[in-house]
Amino acid sequence: MTIQPSPFMQSLIDLAMVAGREIMAIYATDFSAKAKGDLSPVTEADEAAEKVILAGLKKIDSATPVISEEAASAGIIPEASDTFFLVDPLDGTKEFISRNGEFTVNIARVQNGKPVAGVVYAPAIGRLFWGEGGIGAAQGKSDGDTAGNWQQIAVRATPDDGATVVASRSHRDQATDDYLKSVKVKSLTSAGSSLKFCLVAAAEADLYPRFGRTMEWDTAAGHAVLAAAGGKVMTVDGEPLAYGKRQRGYDNPGFIASA
């Protein structure tokens, strides 16, 4: 079934694709990485993509504040209102460095604590997902310039023979392994970046548990796609994962993403 994004959503899609081209231009070079203050890696691709996205969002909606990973790491965090953007210009920097292709551009719009629109673009593997409240979620293949023939996606009921689980490739922990002992698991796949949310949204997986630390910009775009596809993201306390948690420094508690 085909589906079309709103003009606003299309503007976010176009922006993500421009950022993706910046990233892929650097991906083709002998790039280097450095460590940030929290010892997580950053490359010139992260910084180039963020520059493009911040400039683009200013043109799309200059009145709405933007919280973006690299700017936040430098201490630049605007006062967020009820509506704001969350950006991870290159989610999965470790995947980028290892050149496995599982990295994404994440752009999301949050309203009243909920991600209401989001785009997740994986330029190295040519997959793009978007989700928009009131319209739905879709995926498409991209050649780096255009994405067309949007295919609507929706979550599925967990099959009787067990769940297909996606877990972090770079951040697997004991808490995840303990949780999986309580679930009927058919298969377990590792994947990088926010693609894990999108695989659940596209009915290619059923569960994505994450108990280690994540930041709001890591999850908002994928969460928006999953929510628009009929899924949910719940904390380990059984509450919906919310955004705008300034008092926590915009980090997330553990969560489970599912249909």
Side-chain angles (χ1 to χ4, degrees):
M1 182 176 177
T2 59
I3 182 175
Q4 293 301 318
S6 70
F8 168 75
M9 188 72 247
Q10 185 64 56
S11 69
L12 298 188
I13 292 168
D14 293 342
L15 183 55
M17 294 177 70
V18 172
R21 288 197 289 273
E22 291 284 326
I23 289 168
M24 293 307 294
I26 295 168
Y27 195 54
T29 70
D30 185 21
F31 62 84
S32 60
K34 57 188 178 183
K36 295 188 288 190
D38 62 0
L39 301 183
S40 63
V42 62
T43 70
E44 57 190 296
D46 299 73
E47 295 164 346
E50 182 170 271
K51 184 177 179 180
V52 165
I53 293 169
L54 293 180
L57 289 177
K58 192 172 182 179
K59 292 180 180 178
I60 293 168
D61 183 359
S62 62
T64 297
V66 182
I67 299 174
S68 187
E69 180 180 15
E70 304 313 328
S73 294
I76 304 170
I77 303 178
E79 189 70 42
S81 60
D82 291 339
T83 301
F84 60 99
F85 289 106
L86 278 166
V87 171
D88 191 339
L90 202 171
D91 182 30
T93 301
K94 290 182 179 179
E95 279 65 43
F96 180 84
I97 293 169
S98 66
R99 297 182 184 274
N100 70 13
E102 294 178 349
F103 52 86
T104 59
V105 178
N106 297 350
I107 306 173
R109 184 180 177 93
V110 172
Q111 290 181 335
N112 299 318
K114 298 179 180 180
V116 296
V119 57
V120 175
Y121 178 38
I125 60 175
R127 297 193 77 178
L128 192 150
F129 300 85
W130 60 266
E132 190 172 9
I135 293 180
Q139 66 174 332
K141 291 189 177 296
S142 167
D143 62 6
D145 292 312
T146 59
N149 300 316
W150 295 117
Q151 176 189 0
Q152 187 165 13
I153 56 176
V155 298
R156 68 186 181 192
T158 301
D160 292 339
D161 59 349
T164 295
V165 179
V166 283
S168 174
R169 185 178 301 284
S170 301
H171 302 281
R172 182 79 170 272
D173 57 13
Q174 187 61 49
T176 300
D177 292 338
D178 292 343
Y179 167 76
L180 293 177
K181 293 175 183 177
S182 69
V183 177
K184 186 177 182 181
V185 177
K186 179 181 179 182
S187 64
L188 175 63
T189 302
S190 295
S193 71
S194 56
L195 282 170
K196 296 180 284 294
F197 290 101
C198 300
L199 295 177
V200 178
E204 296 176 33
D206 304 293
L207 284 174
Y208 163 35
R210 180 61 184 267
F211 302 111
R213 187 172 188 248
T214 59
M215 305 303 292
E216 292 189 9
W217 46 77
D218 294 321
T219 61
H223 188 167
V225 173
L226 179 56
K232 60 184 181 292
V233 183
M234 307 297 286
T235 71
V236 292
D237 295 326
E239 298 294 325
L241 182 64
Y243 293 81
K245 302 183 294 292
R246 189 177 184 89
Q247 72 280 5
R248 288 182 60 111
Y250 296 101
D251 80 336
N252 294 317
F255 62 81
I256 300 167
S258 65

